[in-house]
Amino acid sequence: MMDRAALRLILLGVFLISASLGVKKKQNVDIYSFYINSTVTSRYATTVITSRVANTLNESQEIQFEVKIPKNAFISKFRMTIEGKTYDGVVKEKEEAQQQYNQAVSRGQSAGLVKSVGRTLEDFKTSVTVAAFSKVTFELTYEELLKRRLGKYELLINAQPMQPVADFKMDVHIQEKPGISFLEVKGDLSTGDLANAIKTTRADKDAWVTFYPTRDQQTKCKSCGENGLNGDMLVTYDVNRQNPNGEIMVSKGYFVHYFAPSNVPRISKNVVFIIDQSGSMSGQKIKQTRLALLRILSDLDEDDHFGLITFDSEVNLWKRELLKATEENLKNAKSFVKEIRDRGATDINAAVLAGVDMIKRHPREGTASILILLTDGDPTTGETNIEKIMANVKEAIGTKFPLYCLGFGYDVNFDFLIKMSLENSGVARRIYEDSDADLQLQGFYEEVAVPLLTDIQLKYPGGSNLTKTSFSLYFNGSEIVVSGQITDNSVESFTTEVIAVSKGSNVTYQDNTMTKDTSDVPPENEDFMQRLWAHLTVKQLLDRQVLLKGQEKEDEKKESLKLSLKYQFVTPLTSMVVTKPQEGDVEVANKPKEGERGGESTADYYDSDLSHYPVQHSLQAAKIIAVDDFDLYDHPLPTYAFPTMHTTTPPAVQVHSNRFLLPVVGQSKPLCFDVPVPHKLRLLQDSASEFSMNGESLSEQNGFHQIAIHYKTNHHLIISTKSISYHNGQDNVEILWGQELTQHNTDGVSLVVLENEMNVTMGNIGVVIISHKKDGVMFLWPAIWEYPKDVNLTGVLGKSDISYVKTNGSQTPTLKMKDKEVKTYLETVSDYRLHSTPTRECWLVPFQAVMEAEISDFTVTQL
């Protein structure tokens, strides 16, 4: 029988806290029932995930429970039931939980570390020892307020249970008082046979989505296989908005007001783009920035006015004044954007002040002004004191318009951008250094592209403990949410008043609602309004921590802690402690803030009002790590996910070809083409500089197992999945993958080796070699992020000037390439040029159509 010695599992961090025992996974684990139930009542989503698992071995073994949850959510309940006994998690103040952790460490017990770096999802993971032929039930509850973005709410569910489940059910019930205007279900889990397992039912104010796939169906979708479901389901919806005063709901002394008028004329805008072109923006960053700006300029309305500022150690104005977005001005602006090049240092202070001055010098009545700063680093020249920069910018703007700060990549001082944007009525957004960075930039702009109201003030006579009631701008497709308590519960009606500015004129929205009418709130959800208010209040209190100081900051911290404990929310100020029936080590889950290596920062409490994009996260385990070495993410848009139960390692998928991506300037979807394996290919060649790069692949394996680079007559670099060897006639350098940062520079050659990446520069040609591991097999993948000018490159990766136009009229998708029509198909490809290997859609075309030659023309006999 199971030993009953108590083990305390301490869950630390913001929304996710993960624990991993790291034991060897065994077979004979049966997930015989798996339910996910999500109820959305007036945008407030409560999701309960229940997994029932049986140990079918005749000996005890560790059973693991893993689930991905949205960063924007608060875990509010976790329990395990084993042999009829329930073990509940209890949310406590972080300091109290840390004391338990310290006691465990002092006894010599180990601790676990889980890193989850990405944009949207977080991993919750724990495990427990289950006796022979016994069962365990895991139950996790989390809560979040869905945010409206670009005219819709999204519920994203990722399912990867690692085995088909006999009783698999997902139920989503959406209840919205004004009625549901549209509902859509899509994603990988709606493809193939799985589409038949989805049923959608709609009534006036309700919608139900059920997903009950059979065992057989769970193996048949776009990304499914013998290990069961593996993919996303996206439930998208919006509500009717017939009342321009907004939607008011009252329940048990609490109210929520959703304000999102749509029948309002758009306000023309003055927008200034302030673009960092310092040396650190080199390569793919500056290329993607140019691409995004070209698209954004095309989206400007003719009555908008705009300005362009680039900066490094100097500030460069395209034009000294704001110009109207006429066809001629946009054409000239695009020519300017195409010539933006990286160089020099970073003078953020002078650049932002120049942007402020540009708007102030050209005031236009009845318009909305916006500053958008894009940078990837710290201020390194001019005024470099961050506090002085923030003071200068705040004084210059003077609350007249918002500043939005976009931080590109992980080297940027994101705390600084958060503070500076919040001090000036804006928000900060991290732009992830990935293949879709240009789309992230464009997506952000779309959220602020259509201002409808400015200087919005919301008033609630008889209301108290209100959430934020003052907003500088309201954009089309978004939503303003205010919640609070009703002071006098005896009143029969409750009044709301919104005062705002529309095209230079004051407008007022007033409404009354009956406080006693609770017919729209189902009895089982009667406390949702109170929890919604608490959730939003805690979020905003934590946000304000960034700007507050001294006693005021301490008071608000105490208030957010009080509410977190009362409603059992796992937040940056609390931890969840679970006592479970297992003898062993104390495990601590420790979630770092994205892009940080340690140390709690002011950004820990920041929650952007705008949203991010989905991404997958990886888990790593380590031995003891200090609990205070933890950070939190900036929080993006809501996402839902299924748990994952690991039982066996999935078998390697047979690979028949390498699929190469070929980005095309001006097109959102790249081209891709296949080259059968095995092969020895000429990947890149420049005859003039005597540079060549060749790669060899093996049968039924991804990527390349060896890549050779030659430069002039004496430089030879051989890169394998195990080691790196460089010879130049004098030096012989041997490097192993996985070592610490290693650099070697000599005679026009630069080699920089990181843990799983190698940057090679020979002459004016630079390539990156990425080391990947998939299904236990190591392989290499080459990437070229910047093609040198005036160099005639050949080889499979040498095409940098390809273009296409999608033609219409044919049932089969067709692209026009070099005056020829090429039939194509929309396919997916894992982008191995990046460590995160995101999946991208691409137009699959024949090799010959891209290269205008046969594959045999690119093969070599020796590397």
Side-chain angles (χ1 to χ4, degrees), residues 185-211:
V185 181
K186 54 187 179 181
D188 290 343
L189 298 185
S190 63
T191 62
D193 286 356
L194 283 182
N196 300 321
I198 299 173
K199 292 186 178 179
T200 302
T201 307
R202 286 183 57 181
D204 182 29
K205 300 178 181 179
D206 295 81
W208 295 266
V209 178
T210 62
F211 179 53

XYZ file of all heavy atoms in Angstrom, residues 185-211:
203
model
N -16.097 27.887 -34.993
C -15.182 26.896 -34.436
C -14.236 26.456 -35.542
O -14.671 26.034 -36.606
C -15.944 25.672 -33.880
C -14.956 24.658 -33.291
C -16.951 26.090 -32.829
N -12.925 26.589 -35.284
C -11.949 26.173 -36.290
C -10.700 25.665 -35.586
O -10.675 25.514 -34.368
C -11.628 27.325 -37.239
C -11.177 28.601 -36.559
C -11.037 29.738 -37.559
C -10.618 31.032 -36.891
N -10.498 32.150 -37.842
N -9.662 25.380 -36.354
C -8.432 24.847 -35.784
C -8.184 23.415 -36.217
O -9.019 22.773 -36.871
N -7.008 22.885 -35.855
C -6.624 21.529 -36.256
C -7.633 20.486 -35.788
O -7.849 19.471 -36.462
C -5.244 21.183 -35.696
C -4.134 21.968 -36.370
O -4.394 22.522 -37.460
O -3.035 22.039 -35.817
N -8.234 20.705 -34.626
C -9.156 19.709 -34.084
C -10.510 19.716 -34.785
O -11.406 18.955 -34.406
C -9.344 19.919 -32.576
C -8.074 19.762 -31.726
C -8.400 19.868 -30.263
C -7.377 18.433 -32.018
N -10.656 20.589 -35.763
C -11.893 20.584 -36.542
C -11.651 20.055 -37.955
O -12.491 20.213 -38.834
C -12.482 21.996 -36.611
O -11.604 22.877 -37.285
N -10.490 19.413 -38.163
C -10.164 18.893 -39.484
C -10.381 17.387 -39.530
O -10.463 16.718 -38.503
C -8.703 19.204 -39.849
O -7.833 18.544 -38.909
C -8.445 20.701 -39.807
N -10.447 16.845 -40.743
C -10.573 15.399 -40.921
C -11.826 14.850 -40.266
O -12.882 15.504 -40.198
N -11.719 13.630 -39.747
C -12.861 12.979 -39.109
C -13.301 13.694 -37.840
O -14.437 13.539 -37.392
C -12.508 11.516 -38.760
C -12.485 10.626 -39.994
O -12.809 11.143 -41.086
O -12.146 9.441 -39.877
N -12.419 14.466 -37.247
C -12.775 15.146 -35.996
C -13.873 16.182 -36.199
O -14.585 16.519 -35.248
C -11.547 15.839 -35.402
C -10.538 14.941 -34.681
C -9.412 15.789 -34.114
C -11.210 14.164 -33.563
N -14.007 16.695 -37.413
C -15.059 17.687 -37.659
C -16.428 17.104 -37.336
O -17.332 17.825 -36.887
C -15.009 18.146 -39.114
N -16.586 15.798 -37.529
C -17.876 15.155 -37.247
C -18.140 15.017 -35.754
O -19.265 14.724 -35.346
C -17.924 13.773 -37.907
C -17.756 13.857 -39.422
O -18.281 14.776 -40.053
N -17.024 12.909 -39.995
N -17.097 15.201 -34.916
C -17.277 15.072 -33.466
C -17.650 16.389 -32.811
O -17.935 16.434 -31.614
C -15.987 14.524 -32.837
N -17.655 17.473 -33.593
C -17.984 18.796 -33.059
C -19.445 19.115 -33.365
O -19.889 18.993 -34.503
C -17.079 19.877 -33.677
C -15.612 19.600 -33.345
C -17.483 21.269 -33.189
C -14.645 20.526 -34.050
N -20.160 19.530 -32.351
C -21.542 19.948 -32.527
C -21.723 21.330 -31.907
O -21.295 21.574 -30.788
C -22.503 18.951 -31.886
C -22.530 17.599 -32.591
C -23.588 16.686 -32.018
C -23.629 15.354 -32.774
N -24.644 14.436 -32.224
N -22.343 22.205 -32.660
C -22.593 23.569 -32.199
C -24.096 23.807 -32.161
O -24.803 23.536 -33.136
C -21.936 24.589 -33.145
O -20.540 24.320 -33.210
C -22.142 25.999 -32.651
N -24.557 24.326 -31.028
C -25.971 24.637 -30.852
C -26.085 26.080 -30.388
O -25.347 26.513 -29.504
C -26.626 23.722 -29.805
O -26.369 22.359 -30.151
C -28.128 23.954 -29.737
N -27.023 26.821 -30.988
C -27.187 28.220 -30.608
C -28.632 28.533 -30.285
O -29.553 28.062 -30.944
C -26.712 29.138 -31.737
C -25.211 29.194 -31.880
C -24.789 30.176 -32.951
N -25.301 31.516 -32.708
C -25.076 32.559 -33.516
N -24.354 32.384 -34.613
N -25.572 33.745 -33.244
N -28.814 29.312 -29.242
C -30.102 29.899 -28.920
C -29.912 31.406 -28.910
O -28.862 31.917 -29.308
C -30.595 29.389 -27.571
N -30.900 32.144 -28.419
C -30.823 33.593 -28.457
C -29.635 34.123 -27.657
O -28.849 34.933 -28.140
C -32.127 34.185 -27.916
C -32.121 35.712 -27.967
O -31.442 36.262 -28.847
O -32.774 36.342 -27.117
N -29.507 33.653 -26.422
C -28.475 34.177 -25.524
C -27.434 33.128 -25.139
O -26.575 33.394 -24.300
C -29.127 34.731 -24.252
C -30.111 35.868 -24.520
C -30.769 36.343 -23.234
C -31.762 37.467 -23.529
N -32.434 37.939 -22.284
N -27.517 31.936 -25.720
C -26.618 30.844 -25.351
C -26.038 30.193 -26.599
O -26.640 30.213 -27.678
C -27.364 29.779 -24.540
C -27.856 30.291 -23.206
O -28.919 30.941 -23.177
O -27.173 30.055 -22.204
N -24.883 29.616 -26.399
C -24.278 28.782 -27.435
C -23.552 27.635 -26.750
O -22.966 27.811 -25.667
C -23.314 29.585 -28.297
N -23.631 26.464 -27.353
C -22.972 25.284 -26.807
C -22.086 24.681 -27.896
O -22.480 24.558 -29.055
C -23.989 24.228 -26.373
C -24.867 24.632 -25.237
C -24.688 24.383 -23.905
C -26.111 25.366 -25.333
N -25.722 24.910 -23.158
C -26.600 25.514 -24.011
C -26.841 25.909 -26.388
C -27.782 26.177 -23.724
C -28.014 26.571 -26.119
C -28.488 26.695 -24.786
N -20.882 24.336 -27.514
C -19.983 23.602 -28.401
C -19.593 22.329 -27.677
O -19.078 22.371 -26.554
C -18.718 24.411 -28.749
C -17.787 23.587 -29.631
C -19.087 25.717 -29.439
N -19.864 21.192 -28.280
C -19.461 19.913 -27.696
C -18.484 19.222 -28.637
O -18.595 19.317 -29.863
C -20.671 18.992 -27.449
O -21.313 18.701 -28.703
C -21.665 19.661 -26.505
N -17.544 18.539 -28.032
C -16.510 17.833 -28.798
C -16.311 16.485 -28.129
O -15.679 16.373 -27.084
C -15.218 18.656 -28.774
C -14.070 18.028 -29.518
C -14.188 17.626 -30.830
C -12.839 17.874 -28.889
C -13.117 17.069 -31.507
C -11.762 17.313 -29.557
C -11.903 16.913 -30.868
